[in-house]
Amino acid sequence: MLLSLHVELSEFIVHTCILFVEASWLCTLSKGLLAPSRGLTQGSQNPEKQRVFHIHEVRDKLREIVGASTNWRDHVKAMEERKLLHSFLAASQKGLPPRRMKDSYIEVLLPLGSQPELREKYLTVQNTVRFGRILEDLDSLGVLICYMHNKIHSAKMSPLSIVTALVDRIDMCKKSLSPEQDIKFSGHVSWVGKTSMEVKMHMFQLHDNEFSPVLDATFVMVARDSENKGPAFVNPLTLESPEEEEIFRQGELNQGTRVAFSSMSLLKMAPTAEEMTTIHEMFLNTLDPKTISFRSRVLPPNAVWMENSKLKSLDICHPQERNIFNRIFGGFLMRRAYELGWATACNFGGSRPFIVTVDDIMFQKPVEVGSLLFLSSQVCFTQGNYIQVRVHSEVASLQDKEHMTTNVFHFTFLSEKEVPLVFPRTYGESMLYLDGQRHFSSMSAPVTLKKDHLIEP
């Protein structure tokens, strides 16, 4: 799901999102099926008693909610019909009934173990689960959760167009992902503003007859009107327990962090004194000691110029990859960016990398069906076994050669062996290096490499 070009980011201003989450690489969940939030496992509506969706039902349910057609030729008619839903939109948030966290709670089963015919779509050549496919599932699930929160019982279709604005953060746990064991997702709305919602999602895999945590994900969604042209109000959130109050408080902190750190973006502010010292020391380390010249540059041992770490790809955006609003599915964009980022880390490090963290993926512009999608990936920071990869996404139409940025993706990988240092040549590359360093520093502690505990592409 993609954020519309003209969306008013009044509730969060994000470019560089650097969240310092306590023990962020570890799932905050204890083992078990119902651990997405301990506050949600209590009360009259125990999530354990709720229906579990099949993964295939998620996108079918979304099509039903918005009235989308599975036939590409009918998409114009379907979108015209959505204009009639304007009368169901609230004039203010006060006119909408409050909802509980439990109202949006969903569990979804990906039965890789019990339905082997599903495996090939998710299978890697190393006999693990493709993380890019998981990103697609998380994107669809996040949107469905928000529609459950804003459900109108008197209307068959929702007047809201809910789209992904930001992938705030995805943190991996040290749990193996087997293509032969069932996977379960769960999630709920954790915070709401006037037109935006934060969604917490969790992923588990069956291990020794118990669902063990695999990842935690935080997405930010925004609500638009029925034609996806302007903002729309969402239902407020009521809190029923101290645990839910803590979840909501964390959502407010995340919101404040996003706004605060956006003002520190290197596109807006100069580097700190410490960062400038880092860049100057790196520059001095690349000067040729045989000459007295700032122009003569040589690499230190076990180092690579940043410009030599790039990989690029091109995709034609076909109707098959469209979302329920007939633009290119945001999960598809994330998958393609992740797979290019993984290949970049693999090519750079010379061994198989494992994903540790995904953060700060902002959907700046929707991608239209028929667009040319250009992805450019490069290593922007390394330390020990870690590789920080930045993937830049831009589109151009078949008629117009102008390129426009749609997304910037940030991935932290862990290699099986120590990787070379990466050195910038230019000032622009130096800013990319510092930005990568900031994203890497958002991990509060290092992850110990165990091959059977991390996830491949």
Side-chain angles (χ1 to χ4, degrees):
M1 314 302 163
L2 298 177
L3 177 62
S4 172
L5 174 61
H6 303 293
V7 65
E8 299 173 6
L9 297 178
S10 56
E11 298 188 34
F12 61 93
I13 307 169
V14 184
H15 188 84
T16 303
C17 174
I18 308 169
L19 296 180
F20 293 88
V21 183
E22 182 178 357
S24 62
W25 84 102
L26 293 175
C27 281
T28 57
L29 317 174
S30 59
K31 286 187 177 181
L33 174 60
L34 300 174
S37 169
R38 283 180 288 273
L40 301 186
T41 63
Q42 303 168 359
S44 59
Q45 286 195 353
N46 192 323
E48 187 175 11
K49 298 180 181 180
Q50 295 182 0
R51 174 174 175 263
V52 177
F53 289 90
H54 189 284
I55 192 66
H56 285 167
E57 293 181 279
V58 173
R59 295 196 73 176
D60 291 342
K61 186 70 175 176
L62 288 174
R63 291 190 188 97
E64 177 185 331
I65 289 171
V66 303
S69 173
T70 56
N71 191 335
W72 166 246
R73 290 175 294 182
D74 298 334
H75 75 279
V76 175
K77 178 182 176 182
M79 290 298 104
E80 284 293 322
E81 292 176 350
R82 286 190 57 78
K83 293 181 180 180
L84 303 176
L85 298 173
H86 268 281
S87 60
F88 289 96
L89 293 171
S92 70
Q93 192 177 43
K94 293 181 180 179
L96 294 170
R99 298 288 162 78
R100 303 171 299 175
M101 290 188 184
K102 295 174 185 176
D103 294 329
S104 62
Y105 179 86
I106 296 177
E107 290 183 356
V108 175
L109 181 66
L110 173 56
L112 297 180
S114 51
Q115 295 184 17
E117 64 272 15
L118 296 177
R119 291 177 192 166
E120 187 163 333
K121 177 181 176 181
Y122 290 85
L123 188 65
T124 72
V125 69
Q126 293 87 13
N127 199 40
T128 58
V129 175
R130 294 175 63 182
F131 183 66
R133 293 297 188 191
I134 300 301
L135 291 175
E136 291 181 326
D137 292 339
L138 288 172
D139 192 41
S140 295
L141 177 59
V143 175
L144 181 58
I145 287 170
C146 289
Y147 273 119
M148 298 297 288
H149 174 81
N150 294 280
K151 186 176 181 180
I152 300 177
H153 297 283
S154 61
K156 181 179 179 181
M157 294 191 300
S158 173
L160 298 179
S161 301
I162 296 176
V163 294
T164 305
L166 174 73
V167 178
D168 200 345
R169 194 171 184 91
I170 301 174
D171 290 308
M172 310 309 302
C173 296
K174 293 183 180 179
K175 294 294 177 183
S176 60
L177 266 186
S178 167
E180 299 177 356
Q181 298 293 332
D182 287 355
I183 288 174
K184 182 159 287 191
F185 301 92
S186 66
H188 61 90
V189 171
S190 55
W191 175 89
V192 299
K194 291 183 178 180
T195 63
S196 65
M197 297 157 282
E198 181 188 87
V199 177
K200 293 286 189 184
M201 292 176 285
H202 313 285
M203 176 177 163
F204 308 85
Q205 183 160 50
L206 195 63
H207 182 70
D208 293 334
N209 296 319
E210 186 178 45
F211 277 100
S212 300
V214 172
L215 65 79
D216 286 339
T218 303
F219 282 40
V220 177
M221 308 292 184
V222 294
R224 309 283 286 164
D225 62 28
S226 56
E227 297 181 75
N228 200 9
K229 292 183 177 180
F233 294 105
V234 300
N235 293 71
L237 190 63
T238 185
L239 309 176
E240 298 185 309
S241 67
E243 290 83 1
E244 292 186 1
E245 291 175 0
E246 176 60 25
I247 293 171
F248 189 86
R249 186 189 70 83
Q250 184 60 52
E252 288 185 321
L253 290 176
N254 293 343
Q255 163 73 358
T257 302
R258 287 190 284 268
V259 174
F261 278 98
S262 70
S263 63
M264 298 173 60
S265 168
L266 291 168
L267 292 174
K268 300 177 182 179
M269 300 286 291
T272 65
E274 182 180 359
E275 289 174 333
M276 287 190 288
T277 299
T278 297
I279 293 302
H280 189 67
E281 289 178 349
M282 295 183 74
F283 172 74
L284 294 179
N285 286 336
T286 62
L287 293 182
D288 189 348
K290 299 178 182 179
T291 64
I292 306 176
S293 172
F294 289 125
R295 294 186 178 182
S296 182
R297 308 281 298 278
V298 293
L299 276 172
N302 193 34
V304 176
W305 291 119
M306 186 183 292
E307 63 185 4
N308 294 329
S309 68
K310 293 182 180 180
L311 287 181
K312 296 184 178 183
S313 70
L314 168 65
D315 282 287
I316 302 173
C317 298
H318 295 290
Q320 182 184 11
E321 307 300 342
R322 72 189 186 279
N323 63 17
I324 54 177
F325 302 112
N326 294 298
R327 286 172 168 148
I328 295 302
F329 176 40
F332 167 77
L333 300 177
M334 287 193 285
R335 175 169 65 84
R336 297 296 293 138
Y338 169 77
E339 290 174 349
L340 181 63
W342 184 91
T344 302
C346 181
N347 186 61
F348 181 87
S351 65
R352 191 168 54 190
F354 300 87
I355 185 65
V356 176
T357 300
V358 181
D359 72 330
D360 191 23
I361 301 176
M362 183 178 180
F363 292 88
Q364 301 177 28
K365 184 183 184 300
V367 177
E368 302 293 342
V369 173
S371 299
L372 299 178
L373 175 67
F374 297 86
L375 295 175
S376 177
S377 174
Q378 75 180 121
V379 176
C380 55
F381 178 81
T382 61
Q383 180 176 303
N385 291 43
Y386 292 95
I387 306 173
Q388 188 70 36
V389 177
R390 180 183 188 270
V391 181
H392 181 261
S393 168
E394 56 186 15
V395 295
S397 67
L398 296 177
Q399 297 78 25
D400 188 355
K401 295 183 180 180
E402 181 183 3
H403 289 211
M404 300 189 67
T405 297
T406 61
N407 307 81
V408 177
F409 305 83
H410 302 275
F411 303 106
T412 305
F413 292 97
L414 190 60
S415 179
E416 291 179 310
K417 61 183 181 181
E418 189 169 344
V419 299
L421 297 175
V422 63
F423 275 75
R425 273 187 186 269
T426 66
Y427 186 81
E429 288 181 345
S430 297
M431 295 304 100
L432 290 178
Y433 180 91
L434 293 177
D435 187 51
Q437 186 181 53
R438 290 181 177 186
H439 282 279
F440 176 77
S441 298
S442 68
M443 291 193 306
S444 60
V447 176
T448 301
L449 176 64
K450 293 183 180 180
K451 290 193 293 185
D452 59 336
H453 283 170
L454 294 173
I455 302 177
E456 300 174 81

